[in-house]
Amino acid sequence: MATLILVRHGRSTANTAAVLAGRTPGVHLDERGGAQAAGLPGRLAGVPLALAVSSPLERCRETLQPLLDSRPGLDLRVDERIGECDYGDWSGRKLAELAGEPLMEVVQHHPSAAAFPGGESLRGMQQRAVEAVRDWNDRVDAEHGEDARYLMCSHGDVIKSVVADALGLHLDLFQRIHVEPCSVTVVRYTRTRPFLARLGDTGDLGPLVPNPAGEAPAGAGAEGDAVVGGGAGAP
């Protein structure tokens, strides 16, 4: 099946201000986030992309814009299912202020039971995001072949929840996962199971470039078997 390249949006003005932005409109990349986005085309140079899918929020669209400018033929789709968690009444509030809320302890230690006042539950967020990934995997496989790579630009909690699903982790463990702004996380889906090939990578993505010898993608052996003994590193 397809290889999913998950990109968290670059650093935003809300990140800098330590505010829980949620779905608040008008949150843009800050200066550093813009520089991170500008570096994305170079990091992905040589990696073929069947298409790109974005959260509808501005900070994700801005993160992808340099990549789209560098690849005029790259098809961009927008999917609300990979949009930020709806934090409801918590949206726009300072994280330091929210730290004193009783619900924050649940969010941190028992997230599968957490539902935000006036918003959605973390379970609901994970369900819609994973459904989106599975749908896009099927579409990309059908239209571009099972060796295709495609990109999704989304948000920290959404990406963490997708990674937890890929690893077979209960949602209550997803807070142990961390992804930096503009980091790249790669999940290779196979018929029998997914493989996590990158997590929160902010450096060189050269190993994602297809090998002309036709070797299996990172992390997966023939027919989706794990590579025994760790496998060889990239040359």
Side-chain angles (χ1 to χ4, degrees):
M1 295 179 69
T3 296
L4 170 61
I5 300 173
L6 285 159
V7 177
R8 184 184 174 191
H9 63 77
R11 196 176 77 174
S12 72
T13 53
N15 296 144
T16 309
V19 168
L20 187 65
R23 298 181 178 182
T24 305
V27 176
H28 300 278
L29 299 184
D30 67 6
E31 184 176 356
R32 181 177 176 184
Q36 290 171 330
L40 193 58
R43 293 172 62 206
L44 288 167
V47 180
L49 296 173
L51 55 86
V53 185
S54 178
S55 156
L57 293 172
E58 293 100 324
R59 53 196 185 270
C60 288
R61 303 289 292 268
E62 291 171 3
T63 298
L64 286 184
Q65 195 58 55
L67 180 65
L68 296 171
D69 290 343
S70 71
R71 302 192 189 197
L74 182 60
D75 187 17
L76 175 66
R77 313 287 182 88
V78 175
D79 193 330
E80 293 185 356
R81 295 176 298 175
I82 63 167
E84 180 62 288
C85 184
D86 183 357
Y87 298 114
D89 298 343
W90 279 26
S91 301
R93 294 177 61 185
K94 288 277 190 179
L95 291 171
E97 174 189 338
L98 291 170
E101 294 280 355
L103 178 60
M104 183 58 85
E105 185 176 12
V106 180
V107 170
Q108 292 296 324
H109 301 289
H110 190 20
S112 65
F116 297 97
E120 70 178 331
S121 68
L122 287 171
R123 293 190 319 279
M125 177 201 72
Q126 183 185 46
Q127 181 178 3
R128 63 172 166 81
V130 170
E131 285 180 354
V133 167
R134 298 294 182 174
D135 286 349
W136 283 107
N137 283 348
D138 290 343
R139 289 198 214 183
V140 171
D141 279 357
E143 297 175 12
H144 302 278
E146 62 180 17
D147 292 328
R149 293 154 173 81
Y150 74 105
L151 182 148
M152 276 188 172
C153 187
S154 187
H155 308 267
D157 281 348
V158 175
I159 293 172
K160 288 162 52 179
S161 74
V162 171
V163 170
D165 172 76
L167 292 176
L169 294 178
H170 195 282
L171 184 61
D172 284 345
L173 301 178
F174 100 126
Q175 297 290 25
R176 301 183 184 191
I177 300 166
H178 179 71
V179 289
E180 291 284 343
C182 218
S183 64
V184 172
T185 295
V186 181
V187 182
R188 166 69 180 174
Y189 289 87
T190 74
R191 183 178 60 83
T192 54
R193 56 185 162 180
F195 290 85
L196 182 64
R198 288 285 186 283
L199 176 63
D201 196 324
T202 57
D204 177 31
L205 299 171
L208 297 180
V209 177
N211 189 314
E215 294 179 3
E223 298 300 325
D225 288 340
V227 179
V228 177

